[in-house]
Amino acid sequence: MKKNLNWEERWHPLREEWIIMAAHRQNRPWSGETVPRKVAPLPDYVPACYLCPGNVRVSGHQNDEYEHTFVFDNDHPCVGAHAPTPSPEPSGFYKNRPASGMARVVCCSPKHNLTVAELPAADIAELIKVWAAQTRELSARPEIASVLIFENKGIQVGVSNPHPHCQIYATNFVFKNIETEARASRDHLAETGRALFQDILTAERADGGSRLLFENDTAVAFLPYFARYAYEVYVAPKATHGGLIDLSDAEISDLACALKHVLVKFDNLWQMPFPYVMVLHQAPSDGGDYAGFHFHIEFHPPLRKPDLLKYLAGPEIGGGNFVSDTLPEEKAAELRALSNIHYKER
Ligand SMILES: [Zn+2]
Ligand SMILES: [Zn+2]
């Protein structure tokens, strides 16, 4: 039987690419019923965990008896300060260059069994201040071009240890997504005199706010028009700042409230710790011109349903364009309808 491809493409202004929206509009959207997941309860301290307070890691280093957050150099970094000099230059047109940097781990809480969603907003604000302090310290190093802070959460994104933690890669190169966003923002500012992200925020409001999830004085959270993943959410300050170190204390508090709101919604969706890749997109620190760069946090959750991963396959890996199987406005409505109280506290 012939099957028509009835798709819509939406432009992703930050990635400068088209996203294919292949949601079947005639189908009733999945109702978003919350199926309690069978997640075995965990203790708040695990002797064998390399992130719990006071424990000795495989490197032989001992964690502090920390009470809030704890930062240490990654014992198994993907980027190290002493990257070996590259082997001889390749022949012909192949190129190489030395990649180096520092990799750190940030424990977000001493409690093994918490998710960041369960931290009070004030503690999330303190965590943001830790990220800011790390960014300030690392980006001041002349050899560091970019500081990438992220949290991989859940076995679905390859993380077996549930202890809440983030990672920091401070590198002598700029990751491609940051580079693309920086170029798009620079071009947009030159063409229009406006910050690209401000135009995104304006467009989200002009569209009836159908994808907005949260807003306070200085921060906002939304599923963008061009979302690639079903529950892809952006959280950002309203003002254009290049990175964390430019935020005022009030903006950090507001950002923490926005993060808390989104994270609680995520965990409440299926009443389980919600897996995602969270990444902070900050302007590079390589001395370039990033006036139009607007710091924001992106969530890329891999699940479409409690037991259904969004697989990257032919269109994404083979063709290079993302196919979204859902409409962001429907998913935003689904998240908005959920309780603001974490399911474990009800
Ligand atoms: Zn632990
Ligand atoms: Zn971004």
Side-chain angles (χ1 to χ4, degrees):
M1 192 178 73
K2 189 171 171 243
K3 213 174 162 191
N4 289 318
L5 299 173
N6 189 13
W7 294 342
E8 168 183 318
E9 285 187 294
R10 294 187 178 184
W11 179 246
H12 195 315
L14 290 164
R15 295 178 62 86
E16 299 189 309
E17 67 186 25
W18 290 98
I19 311 302
I20 302 158
M21 297 284 164
H24 294 282
R25 287 149 198 262
Q26 69 275 22
N27 290 354
R28 192 175 158 273
W30 187 66
S31 71
E33 289 157 286
T34 49
V35 186
R37 301 282 90 200
K38 285 211 179 78
V39 178
L42 295 164
D44 62 8
Y45 170 77
V46 172
C49 172
Y50 68 97
L51 301 171
C52 276
N55 288 358
V56 177
R57 305 195 301 275
V58 88
S59 60
H61 294 96
Q62 187 177 16
N63 295 337
D64 290 354
E65 292 285 356
Y66 63 99
E67 290 177 2
H68 298 284
T69 57
F70 176 59
V71 183
F72 64 89
D73 287 333
N74 196 327
D75 301 320
H76 307 283
C78 148
V79 283
H82 307 290
T85 340
S87 36
E89 262 190 49
S91 59
F93 64 85
Y94 287 147
K95 296 191 269 192
N96 64 359
R97 57 183 185 182
S100 66
M102 325 239 334
R104 289 180 177 168
V105 176
V106 182
C107 298
C108 306
S109 162
K111 294 213 165 151
H112 184 84
N113 55 359
L114 279 192
T115 65
V116 179
E118 294 167 79
L119 294 176
D123 286 8
I124 297 178
E126 290 308 311
L127 177 61
I128 296 173
K129 287 178 186 171
V130 170
W131 294 339
Q134 289 292 318
T135 302
R136 187 176 289 110
E137 181 205 322
L138 292 165
S139 63
R141 293 169 177 254
E143 74 276 20
I144 297 302
S146 183
V147 178
L148 192 78
I149 301 176
F150 58 94
E151 180 191 5
N152 297 331
K153 180 177 165 217
I155 47 170
Q156 295 86 348
V157 295
V159 179
S160 51
N161 190 340
H163 195 122
H165 65 286
C166 308
Q167 296 182 64
I168 302 174
Y169 282 6
T171 50
N172 71 335
F173 57 88
V174 180
F175 277 90
K176 185 178 176 221
N177 289 349
I178 307 290
E179 200 171 65
T180 305
E181 289 190 358
R183 188 183 59 240
S185 303
R186 191 184 303 118
D187 292 352
H188 191 83
L189 187 67
E191 281 164 26
T192 68
R194 297 186 304 272
L196 176 56
F197 206 88
Q198 290 296 347
D199 276 5
I200 292 172
L201 293 179
T202 303
E204 289 296 332
R205 289 199 188 93
D207 217 359
S210 60
R211 291 171 299 270
L212 282 179
L213 295 177
F214 180 85
E215 189 169 9
N216 55 21
D217 282 353
T218 69
V220 62
F222 60 101
L223 254 107
Y225 173 75
F226 45 81
R228 297 185 302 157
Y229 290 90
Y231 298 99
E232 180 171 322
V233 169
Y234 284 32
V235 180
K238 289 181 183 173
T240 296
H241 298 299
L244 288 164
I245 59 175
D246 306 313
L247 299 182
S248 69
D249 281 358
E251 286 177 309
I252 288 176
S253 296
D254 281 357
L255 189 69
C257 290
L259 273 176
K260 168 84 183 171
H261 184 90
V262 168
L263 291 168
V264 167
K265 295 279 187 183
F266 278 164
D267 274 10
N268 281 348
L269 185 59
W270 299 312
Q271 300 186 21
M272 65 179 216
F274 186 77
Y276 56 71
V277 171
M278 177 194 77
V279 63
L280 277 62
H281 280 177
Q282 309 196 73
S285 54
D286 59 358
D289 173 20
Y290 300 106
F293 197 101
H294 188 121
F295 157 69
H296 57 280
I297 301 173
E298 298 182 7
F299 286 93
H300 299 279
L303 290 180
R304 292 163 54 196
K305 295 179 184 178
D307 302 310
L308 184 59
L309 274 173
K310 164 66 184 170
Y311 290 104
L312 304 187
E316 293 85 5
I317 292 174
N321 282 84
F322 215 92
V323 177
S324 170
D325 317 277
T326 53
L327 285 177
E329 32 277 37
E330 287 175 2
K331 296 287 120 181
E334 198 180 312
L335 289 175
R336 271 200 305 267
L338 298 167
S339 169
N340 294 335
I341 316 248
H342 197 275
Y343 68 92
K344 284 195 200 165
E345 291 165 12
R346 292 207 289 269

